[in-house]
Amino acid sequence: MNRIIIFFCITISMWGCNSTPSATQGPNKRKNSDVGSVYYDVIIQSNKPKDDWEQIAIEKLDRDKLVQQLFKQIIDNKLRIEDFYEETKIPVAEFKKKISNGEIDPNKITKLQFEEVWNTQQVPIQKRIKSIVFAENAYDHLGKKMGYKPLFICYY
């Protein structure tokens, strides 16, 4: 019975991780510009060595440096961060605590989801990042990868 409950909980959370939040979520979330916002996922650490497409996409990326610099901006209080599910602000002190107790591990960040606003009034098109969701791999109770688990979102 416990396995069924655990499986159900994991399935529900994975479904939430793989879907794009609606435009009506939260008072400041997912607002549209002239042409709307664009959301896209970027795998920044592949666990599929035989997937040529994924390997080529990240071959020139210094994942560790990227995550380190983004975390530094958060710790330096340059970015506002929120819990992905609760949509509540995470103070920098709490963020540091989550890192020190292993709840958030920079080495486990494998995917980022960007929200961009495009300004098509200018040539070339101007893009601005509004937010980044940080995610890590999510596994079922047998250790099989099921998708990604969003950890937190930072706003620019």
Side-chain angles (χ1 to χ4, degrees), residues 142-153:
L142 298 174
K144 182 180 177 189
K145 184 177 175 204
M146 293 183 60
Y148 298 92
K149 173 185 169 189
L151 301 171
F152 61 92
I153 184 168

Side-chain angles (χ1 to χ4, degrees), residues 57-148:
I58 62 171
E59 71 183 354
K60 295 181 182 177
L61 174 67
D62 186 342
R63 190 206 73 81
D64 294 336
K65 187 174 182 179
L66 171 66
V67 173
Q68 176 187 13
Q69 288 178 354
L70 291 171
F71 272 47
K72 182 173 178 355
Q73 290 175 1
I74 293 167
I75 290 170
D76 290 347
N77 217 11
K78 293 181 179 178
L79 302 173
R80 179 175 55 96
I81 59 171
E82 291 184 2
D83 179 273
F84 182 81
Y85 296 102
E86 301 294 324
E87 295 184 356
T88 55
K89 183 178 179 186
I90 301 174
V92 171
E94 184 180 335
F95 182 74
K96 288 180 182 179
K97 184 178 178 182
K98 288 179 181 235
I99 293 171
S100 66
N101 70 19
E103 191 176 339
I104 294 175
D105 183 350
N107 298 316
K108 291 183 179 179
I109 304 294
T110 55
K111 180 177 176 179
L112 302 174
Q113 182 184 67
F114 291 87
E115 175 188 8
E116 289 184 350
V117 177
W118 292 0
N119 180 349
T120 58
Q121 302 295 322
Q122 297 181 4
V123 176
I125 293 174
Q126 300 293 308
K127 303 187 317 178
R128 183 177 63 83
I129 296 173
K130 287 183 66 178
S131 66
I132 304 174
V133 176
F134 290 72
E136 64 185 18
N137 293 335
Y139 301 92
D140 67 12
H141 67 286
L142 298 174
K144 182 180 177 189
K145 184 177 175 204
M146 293 183 60
Y148 298 92

Side-chain angles (χ1 to χ4, degrees), residues 26-44:
N28 297 317
K29 313 291 188 291
R30 315 280 180 177
K31 290 184 179 177
N32 291 331
S33 65
D34 290 342
V35 296
S37 294
V38 176
Y39 300 89
Y40 59 92
D41 299 337
V42 177
I43 305 296
I44 61 170

